[in-house]
Amino acid sequence: MKNLNAASSHPLRRWWTLLFACLFVMSISAQTISVKGVVKDAKTGETIVGANVIVKGTTTGTVTDVDGNFSLNAPSQGTLVVKYVGYTDAELPVAGKTTLVFNLKESAIALNEVIAIGYGQVKKNDLTGSVVAISADKMNKGLATSFTDILAGKMAGVNITTGGGAPGGGATIRIRGGSSMSASNDPLIVIDNVPIEGGTVNGLANPLSSINPQDIETFTVLKDASATAIYGSRASNGVILITTKKGSVKQKMAITYDGSASVSTIAKQIDVLSAQDYGMFVRTYWGSASTQAGLLGKYNIDWQKQIFQTAMGHDHNLSVSGAVGKLPYRVSIGYTDQNGILKTSNFSRTTAALNLNPTFLNDHLKVNMSLKGTYSTNRFADTGAIGAALETDPTQPIYTASSTYGNTYWMWLGTDGKPQSLGTANPLSILTEKRDVSYVYQSMGDLQLDYKFHGIPELRANLNLAYDISNSNGSKTINANSPISYVWGSKKNGAGEFDPYFQKKSNTLLDFYMDYAKVFGIHSIDVMGGYSWQHFYNDSWGATYYSDNVANVPRIDYPTAYQLVSFFGRANYTLKEKYLLTVTLRDDGTSRFGKDNRWGLFPSLALAWKIKEESFLKNVNWLSDLKLRLGYGVTGQQNLNISNDYPYIASYSISNYNDAQYQLGNTWYHLLRPSYYNTSLKWESTKTYNVGVDLGFMNNRITASVDVYKRVTNDMINVVPVAAGTNFINEMVSNIGNMENKGVEFSVSGKPVVSRNFTWDLSYNISYNKNKITKLTNSTDASYGVTGGGIGGGTGNTIYLQKVGYPVNSFYVQKQLYDTQGRPIESAYANGGALYLDHSPAPDFTMGLSSRMNYKQWYLNFSMRSSIGNYNYNNVQSSKEFQNQSFTTGSLKNIVSTGLVTNFKNAQYLSDYYIQNASFARMDNVTLGYNIDKLLNTKLKASIYGTVQNVFVITKYKGLDPEVSGGIDNTIYPRPRIFILGLRVNF
Amino acid sequence: MKKMKYITMIVAVALAMFTLNSCVNDLNVTPLNTAISTETTTFSNTSGPYIGYLAKIYAGFATGGIQGGDANVDVVGMDGGSQAGYLRPLWNLQELPTDEAMCCWNDQTIQNFHWMSWTSSDIFIKGLYARLYYQITIATAFLQETTDAKLTSRNVSSTLKDSITTFRAEARFLRALAYYNVLDMFRNGPLINDASPIGSATLPPYGTGQQIFSYIESELTDCQTTLLAPAIGHTNTYGHANKAAAWALLARLYLNADTYLGTTGTTKYYTSCIDNCKKVIAAGYQLEPVYQNIYVTDNYNSKEIIFPIETDGTNLTSWGGMQFLECSATASDNSYNPLNAPGNWGGNRATKEFLGRFTSEPNYTDDSRYSMLYTGYNHTSIDDQSEFKNGVQVFKFSNLSSTGVKNTASFASTDFPLLRLGDVYLMYAEAFLRGGTATGATQALALQYINALSSRANSLSGGNYVAADLTLSFILEERAREMFWECTRRTDLVRFGKLTDANYVWQWKGGVKAGTGASSYRNIYPIPSADLSANSNLQQNTGY
């Protein structure tokens, strides 16, 4: 166009140009010309690599290059079509132009995204239950030995608390609060269609660490009963569906390497008295001429520094995915080796995974096969070393050359020169003289056959066969003559100890269902019916051998097994694509209960109304999505959390222990004990009511979701007192309580800034949950409560009370009285020291915030989490600050610095002074990265990033870390601050 | 096409039927672990399971579970060693509320016992109650499992049947012993018997003191006919309960009958008490010549002990039995440990008023029982309740043998003498003074027994009491001197009306340093609130 304008200044030139133009046009329509151009993203303006540019109606085509440019020959009157995944196809007529610019618009993926639900898939748009899905790229980057690390804070209503900072350490996942008191509160985890058993594996702190997070494709969390009821008897605490990455036929072979190196440092130490301050304290408190002062040493040791270290770790993953002919595959291997900040702790894991997804019979038979194998080794460092480090006298040395006891480590000796059995064990020796190691092999495999019937394309049959096995062994060795051998355990005589253990678990599954889906005009239906069979087997043994006891210790095996058999069905009905109805029903049978209580029926009903599709909203452009969801369902719980798979069978066990026999006459006899049993034990059932609204604005640039729910658990399984004289125990698992959880969840996600060079994604979620026990025993005695929650210090002290009208695990304490300056008065309590219920460890509100920013090649992401209204019992303070603790067992002990402020002489374990507000806001990670498009002038794409994990915590809590699962803070393994440098290369 | 459709339908249905039909029966399972067996696989016609079951009932008085060190406990929801056994909770509840003992630890509510301020939710009370009823329940289950009908159906031989008859009598004795503790401590409680359905949801009925008393009386009277003959010293029936144990327990029951039944001066019970004491004495038991040797590691040889609770440093270990009694009595700095206690926990010592029980005795400085009390820390007044060295230390239970040989195991090895001749002599004398009129019972005989005890304790200058010295208040003092720390003090004080008396005080009684009285409802313990909530047939004791 520009050329013509320039030429029009001269009349003659104008005529000649027009003639040429006409000729040109005429020639074009009859010829193919070379067309060049560029394909860009309509919003960001970024060029798109690898887009398909095709001449419409032909097979002529090309692909855009690294700069988004293309060049091909096309008929001058033809049309070019550009296609790319995630965008709607764009067409432009060639019309004689030699250069074309395509601006592709993102297709509304968010709504057409397919989400996995139990035994099937559904479009996100068509969901009727409360379901949240998160894909791999949205997850937290950084050091993740388990997927629990990368999920924290990402989803409303899903709370993940790690057990501490130990490498490979476990985590507690709670969806919408727990629904049980003593039965398991863990959600059901389904990995590639295999519901895993979920119990502990001896020797592995976190059984979920067998899945390499790098292999995970999506997480879907099913929160309300209308979504989870299809899993029936195990779904009361929610369901997490995990799928792993697969190859695809359309994909070229892609090789990816992900690696990182990390440095972990201790973020914070507990403040104890220094050697100088401690010496001064002992001389002032006990007297400068006292025996206590005489025990002081001359050294100056920071014991916490002695046991902690800066730890290194590294992690490598390599995956290859693509297709061999028509067989798509993905193979990956990974290796992680991580040391912990507590000396000697280590976790290492090697994983291998294979996914094959061929299709046969012209896509009628889809086969998904996945195999995973893991080998993990652990060396566990005893966290007792931390408690000991807080208590050990800082004026004493670490080593000693002068004693026959302790294997060169200094330890407390009595006046007779013999080991003082009630002194503290040397903290460093706890780590080095004890070796607690485990070796775990795990493997999981799944074969799924999905057959679409020839001739009846609406009918599908699906068969799923899976296994999940683990084989672990390990041992704990304590060296003879070590400080621990004199101070810990039941012998305390210097004998070494060797405790080997072994466990074998296997879980096998067979699932079969048939699905019929058809559209009749404005009606569409989808009916599914199926059957499931799952068997769980567990065999373990362990023994204890002492170096001074040559008596024969028998190997005692404990094999046990249980079985689940179920029938399930679901019907989905949609009217005019606006009104949706889902009904599910599951009938579960378990071998754990007696014949009369064996089967449980779990129905659910959900309704959804896509309000956006209604005519009155169809033209409201700023509102891109509005859906109302109503759900009701009943789920069950049969994971009793007791180590007994046969609680209803009357049985006897003969004890093989040689140190508990009775002598009658001249013979020692082993003891035969009848076991307690409960024939009327049955399922827990939870009813959930859920109302939700999903919203989208500005073409889903902002999406939001609100859910209001109520969950009522009946026949709650709980350990409660049994009437004396009726059974062989005083407290037994029975169905004897009701509990209720009510809450609101809100989550919003959007892109505040979308421009050429800079995009910003932000998402925030907040949830509120209130838990209350509504019934506890058959009696209506209002003052009745069940104690629990053991604490350290004294013997048998407990801090929880379960009582009707209060949240689960409420603290049961005495009300401390204070003086005019706000200092607590020792032993002075309100109401004569009567105990009352004060707060609970569960938070009122939890929030999560994540942000992702992209600026050209750079990216900066961070994620934060907050918990408000949770309280902890600071057991570290209550057991280590009272001043008489400094000399309670004939040896000196250090006290924490707060001891000089609180000024208690004796322990006041039950004071509410120790119930402290542990609300916190934590920045979990910050990542800064750079994408390289052409690494070393090749086609390689790479990304380098640096991450800091556990960046900071804002809290008023006086203890080390406010985040303690269960709320009893008694020296957890501290969470380290981790600095990571990572590299990802795509070949 | 239609044919194809039909075929696929049929195949689909067939596939479905095939998979559905299998495996629903898999839900009927039996335990895989060979160490766990059901009733039919456990009991047959061999003696092993029966004697193992009986051994468990005995062991329930000695340790907390079926593994050493109170692991694998029977009673749950509390600490295995300190709260879920028999001897330690019994000792705590019988000794701490008296002048004989005070604990300096801060384990939960342990101080409430000496202060007389316990509540119905107390965990130590709950633990003992649970243990007693555990013993009652398994003894009853044993009896239900060994009925003549069941034994015949298992083709048990007649010789084995005869042995089992004795086992049954022993189980009844052990159950009566547990009920006796219930009666003595709680007075009322659930009452189950051989007809009670165990394992069902049927709630046991409420038994009043009168009903429990009658039940114990009938059980002991009945089972003594088939119990083994009394065994003196170490014999091949060691550990078994025998006739003498039943007689001694009946004597205890009758001596306290007025207290238990709420009556006064019921002569027939004192007469029955004397009758049973006579039977024990006639069986041939003898006082141990040296008092300390009742409590040594080889006291299984003692001719004075009628029924022991066994302890062994290798084969029967517990933190709650003799281990506790020996270790809690020595200071944690091991500054004075004359009896080789295997640990130094620094917990229990006596009040200074306990010294007064001896100082009123003539020639008490020669009394070997008095020499077990230690005042070497020179601080007999308990000014600081949490300081072990304030008070009077007691060194009674020994970890040495009668010849001074040390026990090298890390756990105690001394049996606890639950019933012994010394106690029987005292019961005879007291029952006589209270009006018992058994044939051949005279004041001279009562005096003879008292002097025997006195000269055994004090070989130099003891054994010189005359008839005028023989009064009830003397008996109370002599019982303190003879039976201290053997779990009878509270019972004795209640019988004499002194436990809650404001005029018979010791330091820190009632929570006040000089000592004060308490309400009379504290003469019995409350039924634990846990059982009240679980069993609506029960009523709480008055005052709680």
Side-chain angles (χ1 to χ4, degrees), chain B residues 148-169:
Chain B
D148 201 54
K150 284 206 171 171
L151 293 179
T152 318
S153 69
R154 293 176 194 146
N155 298 320
V156 170
S157 70
S158 55
T159 25
L160 183 55
K161 263 198 196 176
D162 289 338
S163 306
I164 293 178
T165 309
T166 321
F167 297 164
R168 288 173 58 85

Side-chain angles (χ1 to χ4, degrees), chain A residues 598 652 663 665 673 796-797, chain B residues 28 37 66 74 108 199 238 310:
Chain A
R598 194 161 277 170
Y652 298 84
Q663 186 174 18
R673 178 169 70 179
N797 282 318
Chain B
N28 290 323
S37 49
I66 55 170
D74 305 322
Q108 294 177 289
Y238 169 70
E310 292 178 15

